[in-house]
Amino acid sequence: MLFYPAALPLSRQTLTYTAGVIRRHRAQIGSCWRKPPPARQALLVLAYLYKGETFAELAAGFGVGTATAWRYVTEIAGLLAARSPKLHRALAKAAKAGHAFVVLDGTLVPIDRLAADRPFYSGKHHKHGMNLQVIASPDGEILWVSGPLPGAVHDLTAARIWGIVRQLAAYGLITLADKGYIGAGDHVRTPYRGRNKPASQKAANRAHAQLRSPANAPMPSSPLGASCANSAAAPGAPASSPKPSTFFRPVRRKDEKGSMIMDTLASCLQLNPWHKSSS
């Protein structure tokens, strides 16, 4: 096997935060015998969450066994996901901040799946993945990210499964969303649809798109290396949601920014405790 130097576009702050989580966890469980220091384990976990490399590749690069790499990742993914604030807390904070509106959008985290796994195939994106719901402030700051659902789940269905529509109404937050959320309620403002729209509706759609553009969900807009503590990835799926993948592995994303995606993917992995990718 050949080895080569590689770079991970995250800041020292992100590594320090993750290493601190590991250090406190080791002290809590009384585990002082582990060979790699907390910073080394943190680097392994961040490399997996950000780049989606296989456990076999990571294990070879870090000089540990494949099973050990899997154990390190799943352990810390659970700790990161547990630090996520609940939906009601995120919305209460948004209401207290006095935002004129919030933005609700869905995004797809691509995964490696077999062609037969239809529940994870998104017809909208034409690829397999996991559906994540994102709530952002008008300036694009991530307020909350849901846990994962199979890619075939429609955005409006996912929003209802997570209770987002009901909670937004309860906190009186005006919400801007795309056409995939039509029918969510009067508090969720979506663009006009149909052909041959009058000029007034076209102008309204343009204004709607301009307001939503800083916070569109494809990826978080927080600065590189933002603290993982700012993440709001949901730590678990509700009982009524479809069962997530048991062999989830995120593929590489070139447009990901900040450590929000670290906790988001950690949340995904936390729902798939038996995942052990090797290819």
Side-chain angles (χ1 to χ4, degrees):
M1 181 176 291
L2 299 177
F3 298 88
Y4 67 97
L8 193 61
L10 295 173
S11 72
R12 176 66 60 176
Q13 180 184 2
T14 301
L15 180 64
T16 301
Y17 174 84
T18 309
V21 171
I22 296 171
R23 189 175 296 107
R24 289 189 294 272
H25 175 67
R26 290 185 180 184
Q28 182 179 5
I29 64 176
S31 176
C32 303
W33 51 265
R34 297 187 182 182
K35 181 178 179 180
R40 187 69 172 171
Q41 183 180 352
L43 185 60
L44 185 153
V45 173
L46 293 175
Y48 177 83
L49 292 178
Y50 195 95
K51 303 184 71 174
E53 296 186 4
T54 66
F55 290 120
E57 294 170 341
L58 285 173
F62 282 83
V64 297
T66 302
T68 300
W70 171 82
R71 186 170 63 253
Y72 284 170
V73 169
T74 53
E75 176 185 48
I76 305 310
L79 295 175
L80 293 176
R83 281 161 170 73
S84 308
K86 302 295 185 181
L87 174 60
H88 68 88
R89 291 184 180 177
L91 296 184
K93 184 177 179 180
K96 184 177 180 180
H99 293 312
F101 60 89
V102 296
V103 177
L104 172 62
D105 203 355
T107 189
L108 189 81
V109 176
I111 61 173
D112 293 338
R113 299 292 300 181
L114 300 175
D117 294 318
R118 301 302 297 178
F120 300 93
Y121 184 79
S122 169
K124 176 181 178 181
H125 297 276
H126 304 291
K127 63 179 68 174
H128 291 85
M130 304 295 284
N131 179 304
L132 300 179
Q133 297 297 300
V134 181
I135 298 176
S137 67
D139 62 0
E141 178 188 358
I142 300 296
L143 302 177
W144 184 82
V145 180
S146 76
L149 293 173
V153 177
H154 191 275
D155 280 339
L156 179 56
T157 302
R160 285 172 171 161
I161 287 174
W162 292 110
I164 298 172
V165 175
R166 181 179 65 255
Q167 292 277 8
L168 287 169
Y171 283 95
L173 290 168
I174 298 299
T175 306
L176 302 185
D178 61 29
K179 295 178 183 178
Y181 297 90
I182 290 177
D186 293 339
H187 61 294
V188 179
R189 310 295 172 81
T190 57
Y192 292 101
R193 60 179 176 178
R195 298 181 179 179
N196 302 319
K197 293 185 289 292
S200 59
Q201 292 186 1
K202 292 180 180 179
N205 281 0
R206 286 194 295 270
H208 186 280
Q210 290 174 356
L211 290 172
R212 288 180 58 244
S213 59
N216 273 350
M219 270 300 111
S221 58
S222 53
L224 279 174
S227 170
C228 293
N230 292 333
S231 171
S240 59
S241 67
K243 183 178 180 181
S245 166
T246 54
F247 292 93
F248 168 75
R249 180 168 75 88
V251 298
R252 298 175 184 179
R253 295 291 300 272
K254 295 182 180 180
D255 57 346
E256 292 169 358
K257 297 180 181 180
S259 62
M260 168 62 72
I261 195 61
M262 298 298 106
D263 281 5
T264 302
L265 295 183
S267 176
C268 294
L269 184 60
Q270 176 67 5
L271 295 179
N272 302 276
W274 303 112
H275 164 55
K276 211 171 187 178
S277 175
S278 60
S279 62

